[in-house]
Amino acid sequence: MSDTALMPIPGLADPLPVPRPAATEGVTPRADGRTDLLGLPRERIRALFAEAGLDPRQAKLRAKQVYHWIYHRGVTGFEAMTDIAKPMRPWLAERFAIGRPDVVEAQHSVDGTRKWLLRTADGHDFEMVFIPDADRGTLCVSSQVGCTLNCTFCHTGTMKLVRNLTAGEIVGQVMLARDALGEWPKGAMDVGDGSDEEGADETEYRADGRLLTNIVMMGMGEPLYNFDNVKGALAIVMDGDGLALSKRRITLSTSGVVPMMARCGEEIGVNLAVSLHATNKEIRDEIVPLNRKYGIEELLEACAAYPGASNARRITFEYVMLKDKNDSDEHARELVALIRRYKLPAKVNLIPFNPWPGAGYDTSTPERVRRFSEIVFEAGISAPVRTPRGRDIDAACGQLKTAAEKKSRAERDREAAGA
Ligand code: SAH
Ligand code: SF4
């Protein structure tokens, strides 16, 4: 659609300042001409309601109510909004929509992992994965359709960037996951108490024991090249009146877009993961080509300065284990030396390479991964090996895997032997 064709799509060049937003700026495109409210801040919804003709007081009140219905109750239609006057509901529905990405395919692994192939309203496909663990459930969210960065081991890197996802398409992934997991609270208003009044007590329908507890921006795309939309989406995810997830349960993974890292810490405030993958220039230049622009030193300096990083909130270094490329004892020692040199509050996630057809790499042997992990661990740095999940549905496609489980040595040995 024309709107999205105008969206800034930064490549290796830094984003340029964009002109003042048009009325449709940032709005998820729709063929039916209605304005999709998903992903828009409450203030923006208020302004849209006012533009559509509501007086200022009404616009403010209705924006508050609609926002609450969208994010606390998960409704996708105005008819369900029982505290909004009956005649106003069709008026809203004519002009506005509450969208979701379309589900093209939903898969469920024997280990509980779920993977969705999703489609934007203008026909672009992207993926989302949910990984349940004993103590948490992690949703792996995409930020772009494709990626500009061409890391050599990454399947997404072989795809052309089609476009940035809008804030609505990003937060829409979380909404869809909650839909699928049945996690919208069933409240007094849902059980036919005839309530038509405003301000139902939130405590009446707050659900406990939710499955979706964590979010990682580790799906398709480089989130720091779609900064504004990722920021807007996560603002709603973290907003107490929105999805109300703690920033401590959200992690953004970057391949190392150094100029955006401080802003990520200051303006978004989530945990940071950095796709390091190599300990020297030669290898990182090859496998993460962005390294030619922002080298390891600059990257680690930006990590050392990351707002909010501390021993309690460590930076995660992701390290994909590629056979005979970056997986030697020497590399493990270099990794330890780098983390020490920059005094980084760090942990390391070792990711067994997930092969894909045509990839030029092999997976390191389980013994190699274990030895590498031991060297880092013996230096006092946590270095769990990510367990491949959802193998039977091919969810373990690397960039869509997440959430390392800290496993006992015996468990890891057993898995490694079976892998
Ligand atoms: N673009 C961001 C976030 C998405 S990639 C980034 O690069 O950090 C999320 C993680 O999956 C990255 O650490 C990435 O390097 C890793 N990854 C990509 N392809 C992989 C593969 N085939 N096997 C294992 N990990 C992979
Ligand atoms: Fe893009 Fe991340 Fe894949 Fe690199 S690893 S190509 S930055 S999605």
Side-chain angles (χ1 to χ4, degrees):
M1 287 248 320
S2 54
D3 291 337
T4 51
L6 296 173
M7 288 176 66
I9 300 184
L12 288 169
D14 294 330
L16 293 167
V18 283
R20 213 188 103 67
T24 52
E25 169 74 22
V27 175
T28 305
R30 285 180 70 91
D32 66 10
R34 292 187 294 161
T35 303
D36 191 344
L37 299 178
L38 197 68
L40 304 184
R42 204 162 55 180
E43 174 51 29
R44 181 89 186 275
I45 297 176
R46 186 201 57 73
L48 285 166
F49 285 180
E51 270 167 46
L54 294 188
D55 70 48
R57 204 191 68 86
Q58 278 281 321
K60 190 171 176 205
L61 171 66
R62 300 310 175 196
K64 182 170 188 255
Q65 291 171 316
V66 167
Y67 191 86
H68 186 84
W69 280 106
I70 295 177
Y71 297 109
H72 270 239
R73 308 300 296 276
V75 307
T76 51
F78 297 95
E79 213 32 65
M81 302 184 180
T82 47
D83 56 358
I84 291 179
K86 267 216 163 94
M88 187 173 279
R89 296 180 214 161
W91 183 89
L92 286 168
E94 254 172 53
R95 292 160 179 80
F96 302 100
I98 303 157
R100 294 282 194 272
D102 287 331
V103 177
V104 180
E105 208 182 319
Q107 291 170 289
H108 208 150
S109 161
V110 288
D111 70 11
T113 304
R114 293 174 175 221
K115 176 178 167 181
W116 290 266
L117 183 63
L118 305 177
R119 183 166 293 166
T120 64
D122 57 346
H124 303 302
D125 292 356
F126 60 102
E127 289 177 317
M128 163 177 103
V129 175
F130 177 72
I131 302 176
D133 282 310
D135 60 341
R136 68 175 71 179
T138 306
L139 188 69
C140 182
V141 170
S142 292
S143 57
Q144 300 180 308
V145 181
C147 187
T148 51
L149 288 177
N150 310 109
C151 301
T152 49
F153 54 86
C154 173
H155 196 225
T156 306
T158 64
M159 305 171 192
K160 267 214 169 84
L161 178 72
V162 180
R163 71 165 167 86
N164 285 331
L165 292 174
T166 64
E169 287 158 347
I170 295 167
V171 79
Q173 295 171 60
V174 186
M175 306 293 281
L176 255 183
R178 281 219 169 146
D179 294 345
L181 298 168
E183 295 213 293
W184 296 112
K186 300 262 180 292
M189 289 189 284
D190 287 342
V191 292
D193 66 348
S195 153
D196 234 24
E197 73 270 358
E198 288 171 14
D201 182 2
E202 286 176 20
T203 56
E204 279 174 48
Y205 53 79
R206 180 150 295 159
D208 288 314
R210 282 193 173 137
L211 295 171
L212 199 175
T213 60
N214 291 55
I215 291 178
V216 292
M217 296 299 306
M218 288 188 191
M220 292 167 80
E222 168 50 58
L224 294 188
Y225 272 155
N226 186 14
F227 189 84
D228 290 344
N229 291 335
V230 168
K231 177 182 163 178
L234 292 181
I236 290 173
V237 170
M238 293 185 282
D239 179 5
D241 294 326
L243 292 172
L245 223 78
S246 158
K247 66 178 181 179
R248 290 172 200 285
R249 294 189 168 275
I250 304 173
T251 300
L252 182 149
S253 174
T254 181
S255 56
V257 184
V258 169
M260 302 304 283
M261 284 168 56
R263 281 190 65 194
C264 176
E266 280 154 17
E267 297 177 33
I268 307 181
V270 294
N271 302 318
L272 184 70
V274 171
S275 294
L276 190 61
H277 305 319
T279 54
N280 63 52
K281 177 167 168 55
E282 194 196 337
I283 301 177
R284 196 161 192 272
D285 274 357
E286 177 195 327
I287 66 180
V288 185
L290 183 65
N291 195 65
R292 296 174 207 158
K293 185 159 184 172
Y294 308 116
I296 294 177
E297 290 73 24
E298 262 181 278
L299 176 59
L300 296 183
E301 276 163 20
C303 289
Y306 187 71
S310 67
N311 279 334
R313 276 187 90 192
R314 292 168 189 276
I315 293 173
T316 303
F317 287 101
E318 291 159 282
Y319 199 98
V320 62
M321 299 290 292
L322 305 171
K323 187 176 187 191
D324 298 332
K325 174 55 74 179
N326 65 354
D327 64 350
S328 70
D329 288 0
E330 190 51 33
H331 293 135
R333 284 190 282 267
E334 282 173 10
L335 180 58
V336 169
L338 280 175
I339 290 171
R340 287 194 174 147
R341 187 176 318 146
Y342 290 88
K343 300 190 175 55
L344 296 167
K347 56 188 173 192
V348 174
N349 263 349
L350 297 175
I351 316 171
F353 169 63
N354 188 56
W356 38 275
Y361 301 102
D362 286 326
T363 311
S364 302
T365 63
E367 297 72 39
R368 193 84 295 278
V369 176
R370 194 160 56 237
R371 183 68 198 123
F372 195 106
S373 167
E374 270 167 9
I375 292 171
V376 179
F377 183 76
E378 278 157 15
I381 301 162
S382 156
V385 180
R386 281 191 188 182
T387 319
R389 296 287 301 266
R391 275 262 161 106
D392 53 328
I393 57 169
D394 203 24
C397 45
Q399 66 274 29
L400 290 167
K401 284 191 322 169
T402 175
E405 278 180 341
K406 279 187 199 157
K407 300 232 158 209
S408 70
R409 179 62 44 84
E411 269 177 300
R412 270 197 265 158
D413 283 354
R414 243 193 333 273
E415 274 169 17

